[in-house]
Amino acid sequence: MNATRPPSIVDLKGLDSTEAARRLASEGPNILPGNLPKSLPGIVAGVLVEPMFLMLLVAGGLYLALGDMAEAIFLLACVFAVIGITLAQERKTQRALESLRDLSAPRALVVRDGEEVRIAGRDVVVGDLLVLHEGDRIAADALLVDGQLDADESLLTGEAVPVAKLPGGQSASLFAGTLVTRGVGLAEVTSIAGATAVGRIGEALAATREPPSALQMASRRLVRWLALGGLSLATLYFLTNWVWNGQGMLESLLASIALIMAILPEEIPVILTVFLALGAWRISQRKVLTRRIPAVEALGAITVLAVDKTGTLTENRMQVAELQLEDAHFVHAGATTLEEPFHELVEFAMLATPADPFDPMEKAIQQFGLHWLTGTEHVHAEWSPEFEYGLSPDILAMTRVFPAGSSTRHMLATKGAPEAVVDLCHLDSAHARSILDQAGAMAARGLRVLGVARGQWQGESPPRSQHDFDFRFLGLLGFVDPPRAEVPAAIAECRAAGVRIIMLTGDHPATALAIARDVGLSERPDVISGAQIDTLDDRALAERLRQVDVCARLQPVQKLRLVHLLRQQGEVVAMTGDGVNDAPALKAADVGIAMGKRGTDVARESASLVLLDDSFSSIVAAIRQGRRIYDNITKATRFVMAVHMPIIALTLIPSLLHWPAMLTPVLIVLLELLIDPACSIVFEAEPEADDIMRRPPRSVNASPFAIGNIVPAAIQGIGASIILLVGYGSMLGLGIDPAHSRTAIFIALVLGLFALILGNRHPEDPLISGSGVRNRWLWPMLAGVVLVLVLAVGTPYLRDIMGLTVPGAISLGASAMLLLATFIWLEALRLVLRRHSGASLAHGGKP
């Protein structure tokens, strides 16, 4: 497209849907190369370097060297089983991440079939018309054909100063990935995907890998230390067997490999990868998109939720409800006519508002004015301002300047915060006080209030500030934005969960306080304003924040200061925002939450979470899900630590006591193939606890790997180990042959694995309780455990490989007694720990 060509009427209708679909099919999606899922060879290569895989290969090779072909074949076959399980888990995780990536792809507002529609950025095609507003990230290279805007092109140039864009010439060029910082416009797409400027630079916008979360790094440290400890112990064990016990070198090496396989908790990285990825996917089902996986961890620790009012607590469905002149009042509800004295107020409110606005309040003004004034001389759709003064932190009002008959005469239309408009009108204190009292009364009724003024100016060069004009105050507009119906219940749930809610809004203090009372956010009569915040130092402000729940008339920089201050006090802060200027505070919060419907792309990219429906209740649902995910990680970690204890003991102790070997590498591998799905399927699917939103937030320093969680798990496993070792020794002492003894202990161990699952699902409840029916994977897991046992002892080939035998009545009786003893031990331990440590075991011990 020629940059100097003016847009035609046909151009402004955009592509039709059929042509857009054809171009998408022929040109491909608007995504940069490099955003590809992990390939099959990549997954296999990752498995090849895993310690468990290397142990399997070495053990298989040793069995080959010893001439035990059946054991070698079984172990090497398990290599493919491990690869299969890993592929299944990777694919499960990948599907979850792909779902999130599809949701988080940049969106674009385009004109299709003559109407504005919002589509995924990947569906933008050459020839599309992009509708651009302040805060949007441009989806593709394009040429501006209508409007005027500024773009931040620092992504390409490194220069932070926005670049002015006008239709025609070189200044019309817009680039994918850059940000609209001011203005509105219409642009025709010229290049997509790798053909864009940013694509040619070298995939600068390709999807980035998330850094490891705090839990993932902690788990890696734990696994690393356990691996080093296991390797040291296995080396000592090898030397003991070879040098002091006189065993052959290969047999000793095989025994030491079995020990390190028993010690290494390779399930923990799997737990965190699967739980966090699937947790983010589950949260997305609650209309909350997770853009940064570590945010899933922080959700359960949130202590303060700082929320905007408009659109989060309310419906963001603005409509003009009241008009207020100095001596007259109009209520929209039920009205049939608008009296003449109010016409001028509505006329200048419309003139102070763009004809096709984006802001909900400005839309409400235009709709109200067209409803009541169409057909009168007060509607001026054909008028276009010569220039305008935008809102600024110093003056919370905007003025549009229109020609008035000659090149030097102008008419002014102003709207903004009542106090700002009153100040622009240079009223005496009594007159100003009277108007502000009227505004305060309207705000106290829950209305959002704007003041309107008109003025005249004669001259050729406009002054630098709106203060240099003379204005006449016309009146006040009151807007209603009803609270969302679900908000009061969601706020009550937060309060029960120990999460404090603070409203951060730019609205009038009385309006904010009225809404806060309506939704049950606060009963405190006090509110702090942005102006008051600026007069306080950090210490005084921190003290003030303990006494108020509503902060009104805030500027974005003040929101950022409040977030920093709350975090310095040790709070874990979640904050909502939607604008470009909210981005720093969203990024500074522990969990930044951007609005998905009305939020700008800048806000969404700065945030950790995106509300797809802009609903406060979705935030509460995300907190509930975050707590559930953390609980389940804690439970799965506890189970892994508990179940490895008997495996270690039954591998190490019999050899040290010169008993026949109990657990060989073959049996350990079989157990690992059961433990892995128990973690990633059963515990991941565990439903939330009944009291999950009736307990305080967990400490930010709490960890599933804390002593308070690991020690009880180790005690569980040690007790089960002693029971099984006593049983094994007793059977050998009674003259029962090693094969029958090993079979009895192995059956008890495998079924004891299921007992440990029950013992760690709800440590506060009895092992045998009705809570199991809530987890749909629990009983299929039991069926799988029983099936593995039947195959292991019922199939001659597998039975011979594992050194087992068909169990007789004595073996089955011994297994039943040991399993019963294990249940009794776990139940007794539960009662003792519950008495001494309360709920710390249930919800993750403190470090």
Side-chain angles (χ1 to χ4, degrees):
M1 172 182 172
N2 190 320
T4 61
R5 192 188 76 187
S8 66
I9 298 300
V10 175
D11 288 331
L12 297 180
K13 291 183 178 178
L15 297 175
D16 63 64
S17 300
T18 303
E19 175 61 17
R22 187 192 68 77
R23 294 189 185 188
L24 181 62
S26 63
E27 299 169 3
N30 180 33
I31 57 175
L32 292 172
N35 189 17
L36 300 175
K38 191 181 293 185
S39 65
L40 177 62
I43 295 173
V44 174
V47 175
L48 291 175
V49 299
E50 287 293 329
M52 178 58 70
F53 181 87
L54 297 176
M55 293 296 104
L56 288 173
L57 284 181
V58 172
L62 287 174
Y63 273 120
L64 282 175
L66 292 170
D68 293 331
M69 185 62 68
E71 286 86 346
I73 291 174
F74 178 81
L75 285 177
L76 295 176
C78 286
V79 168
F80 295 100
V82 171
I83 291 176
I85 290 173
T86 306
L87 282 172
Q89 290 169 337
E90 280 279 353
R91 186 58 195 140
K92 191 177 183 182
T93 301
Q94 191 66 44
R95 281 198 299 268
L97 294 177
E98 285 171 358
S99 299
L100 297 178
R101 196 174 290 122
D102 289 342
L103 288 171
S104 63
R107 303 182 305 161
L109 188 63
V110 300
V111 179
R112 295 263 178 96
D113 302 314
E115 296 183 357
E116 293 183 8
V117 294
R118 193 169 292 279
I119 62 174
R122 60 178 291 127
D123 294 334
V124 171
V125 298
V126 173
D128 260 327
L129 285 179
L130 300 175
V131 182
L132 301 171
H133 295 90
E134 177 182 324
D136 288 346
R137 187 173 290 279
I138 300 171
D141 283 7
L143 288 174
L144 188 66
V145 296
D146 192 21
Q148 178 180 352
L149 47 83
D150 290 350
D152 177 358
E153 298 181 348
S154 58
L155 177 74
L156 296 170
T157 65
E159 296 292 334
V161 178
V163 180
K165 300 291 181 178
L166 296 168
Q170 190 64 34
S171 64
S173 297
L174 302 172
F175 302 101
T178 59
L179 296 171
V180 178
T181 60
R182 189 189 67 83
V184 295
L186 195 67
E188 182 176 350
V189 174
T190 57
S191 302
I192 62 170
T196 60
V198 71
R200 291 192 298 271
I201 287 175
E203 307 170 357
L205 293 182
T208 57
R209 292 183 179 273
E210 288 290 345
S213 69
L215 280 184
Q216 287 170 328
M217 290 188 290
S219 73
R220 289 174 185 176
R221 287 194 298 268
L222 176 66
V223 172
R224 188 183 306 122
W225 283 110
L226 289 174
L228 290 174
L231 184 60
S232 302
L233 185 58
T235 301
L236 181 61
Y237 185 53
F238 166 72
L239 294 175
T240 300
N241 285 332
W242 183 31
V243 177
W244 293 328
N245 292 344
Q247 292 184 3
M249 185 181 74
L250 292 181
E251 290 88 343
S252 300
L253 185 56
L254 195 60
S256 65
I257 288 175
L259 178 61
I260 196 170
M261 289 171 67
I263 294 173
L264 190 65
E266 72 283 349
E267 301 89 358
I268 288 180
V270 173
I271 290 171
L272 293 178
T273 301
V274 173
F275 279 42
L276 291 177
L278 290 181
W281 178 80
R282 288 181 187 276
I283 289 174
S284 74
Q285 306 307 296
R286 301 293 197 278
K287 303 295 185 183
V288 181
L289 168 64
T290 305
R291 297 195 68 256
R292 294 180 177 85
I293 294 297
V296 176
E297 297 177 23
L299 280 170
I302 289 172
T303 59
V304 173
L305 186 52
V307 297
D308 189 16
K309 176 183 73 68
T310 305
T312 307
L313 301 177
T314 64
E315 295 181 2
N316 195 27
R317 186 171 51 85
M318 284 289 180
Q319 56 187 23
V320 177
E322 298 182 18
L323 303 179
Q324 179 70 57
L325 305 179
E326 290 190 55
D327 55 358
H329 184 229
F330 172 83
V331 178
H332 189 196
T336 57
T337 59
L338 181 68
E339 297 178 0
E340 181 64 32
F342 295 97
H343 287 195
E344 183 184 25
L345 169 62
V346 178
E347 174 187 4
F348 276 84
M350 294 178 71
L351 286 173
T353 301
D356 184 20
F358 182 72
D359 181 79
M361 290 181 66
E362 293 186 329
K363 284 185 176 181
I365 290 173
Q366 292 291 359
Q367 291 168 357
F368 182 87
L370 292 174
H371 174 75
W372 290 109
L373 299 183
T374 296
T376 72
E377 73 276 12
H378 298 289
V379 177
H380 311 286
E382 72 283 3
W383 286 16
S384 178
E386 287 188 357
F387 56 91
E388 63 182 55
Y389 297 83
L391 289 171
S392 70
D394 298 328
I395 304 177
L396 295 177
M398 62 177 296
T399 298
R400 306 180 88 211
V401 181
F402 297 87
S406 72
S407 60
T408 60
R409 293 183 59 198
H410 303 82
M411 184 168 60
L412 313 174
T414 293
K415 74 175 189 299
E419 59 268 31
V421 176
V422 166
D423 186 48
L424 291 177
C425 293
H426 308 299
L427 303 176
D428 61 70
S429 57
H431 193 181
R433 185 71 266 158
S434 174
I435 293 173
L436 293 180
D437 286 345
Q438 289 179 330
M442 293 173 71
R445 296 193 292 275
L447 300 177
R448 190 168 179 179
V449 186
L450 289 182
V452 179
R454 67 171 296 176
Q456 291 183 341
W457 168 67
Q458 187 161 349
E460 296 182 354
S461 179
R464 294 176 60 108
S465 171
Q466 300 174 71
H467 268 299
D468 297 326
F469 293 116
D470 288 323
F471 291 98
R472 176 167 63 86
F473 189 82
L474 296 179
L476 301 168
L477 278 69
F479 301 79
V480 65
D481 182 12
R484 290 178 179 264
E486 72 275 11
V487 165
I491 287 177
E493 191 173 7
C494 271
R495 186 170 286 114
V499 179
R500 181 188 176 197
I501 302 173
I502 300 177
M503 182 191 292
L504 306 183
T505 181
D507 280 353
H508 190 283
T511 305
L513 200 56
I515 293 295
R517 288 172 176 166
D518 283 349
V519 299
L521 186 148
S522 177
E523 292 298 328
R524 296 179 178 179
D526 207 359
V527 60
I528 187 170
S529 69
Q532 292 171 325
I533 287 173
D534 285 341
T535 65
L536 302 175
D537 59 25
D538 284 354
R539 185 172 181 178
L541 180 57
E543 181 61 33
R544 190 86 168 85
L545 275 179
R546 296 188 183 97
Q547 303 165 9
V548 299
D549 299 317
V550 178
C551 304
R553 281 286 187 256
L554 292 184
Q555 297 295 324
V557 67
Q558 293 164 338
K559 293 183 181 181
L560 178 60
R561 183 186 175 196
L562 291 173
V563 169
H564 280 308
L565 191 59
L566 288 167
R567 294 193 69 207
Q568 288 169 9
Q569 293 177 293
E571 305 286 1
V572 179
V573 181
M575 179 196 157
T576 68
D578 59 0
V580 177
N581 292 333
D582 286 331
L586 289 172
K587 200 166 186 177
D590 295 280
V591 181
I593 305 171
M595 302 298 108
K597 287 185 176 179
R598 61 189 172 88
T600 60
D601 286 343
V602 180
R604 286 192 289 270
E605 292 187 9
S606 300
S608 305
L609 303 177
V610 177
L611 293 184
L612 301 180
D613 60 357
D614 290 6
S615 172
F616 178 80
S617 62
S618 295
I619 302 176
V620 182
I623 292 174
R624 187 186 305 112
Q625 283 294 311
R627 291 187 173 196
R628 170 189 169 274
I629 292 163
Y630 183 87
D631 275 5
N632 289 349
I633 290 175
T634 301
K635 294 172 183 178
T637 301
R638 193 164 50 226
F639 166 75
V640 168
M641 293 301 173
V643 81
H644 272 265
M645 291 299 164
I647 298 175
I648 294 169
L650 292 172
T651 303
L652 179 62
I653 302 301
S655 178
L656 295 178
L657 297 177
H658 297 287
W659 293 349
M662 173 60 229
L663 289 184
T664 62
V666 173
L667 292 176
I668 292 173
V669 169
L670 184 62
L671 288 167
E672 294 290 348
L673 293 178
L674 290 174
I675 295 171
D676 222 1
C679 295
S680 58
I681 296 177
V682 175
F683 282 104
E684 195 283 326
E686 189 64 29
E688 64 197 43
D690 292 335
D691 69 338
I692 199 164
M693 293 298 282
R694 296 196 300 273
R695 59 172 104 130
R698 75 172 195 273
S699 166
V700 71
N701 296 317
S703 168
F705 315 115
I707 296 298
N709 193 49
I710 299 299
V711 168
I715 294 173
Q716 282 183 344
I718 290 170
S721 304
I722 293 172
I723 291 169
L724 294 173
L725 284 170
V726 168
Y728 190 46
S730 299
M731 293 183 73
L732 292 175
L734 293 172
I736 300 174
D737 67 85
H740 279 88
S741 300
R742 183 182 298 111
T743 302
I745 300 303
F746 185 71
I747 292 172
L749 175 59
V750 171
L751 294 176
L753 180 149
F754 187 74
L756 286 171
I757 292 176
L758 295 177
N760 287 287
R761 286 181 63 240
H762 298 287
E764 70 279 9
D765 295 335
L767 269 67
I768 305 299
S769 66
S771 60
V773 298
R774 297 175 60 198
N775 190 327
R776 63 190 182 95
W777 287 107
L778 185 65
W779 301 116
M781 180 66 195
L782 176 59
V785 167
V786 172
L787 178 61
V788 168
L789 274 177
V790 170
L791 291 175
V793 302
T795 307
Y797 177 74
L798 293 176
R799 189 168 63 235
D800 292 342
I801 290 174
M802 297 178 187
L804 303 176
T805 188
V806 177
I810 294 177
S811 298
L812 292 176
S815 298
M817 290 177 61
L818 293 172
L819 183 61
L820 178 61
T822 301
F823 268 89
I824 293 172
W825 157 248
L826 293 176
E827 183 64 17
L829 178 63
R830 180 188 72 82
L831 294 174
V832 171
L833 290 175
R834 185 178 184 182
R835 185 178 303 125
H836 286 85
S837 59
S840 66
L841 177 63
H843 309 316
K846 300 289 185 264

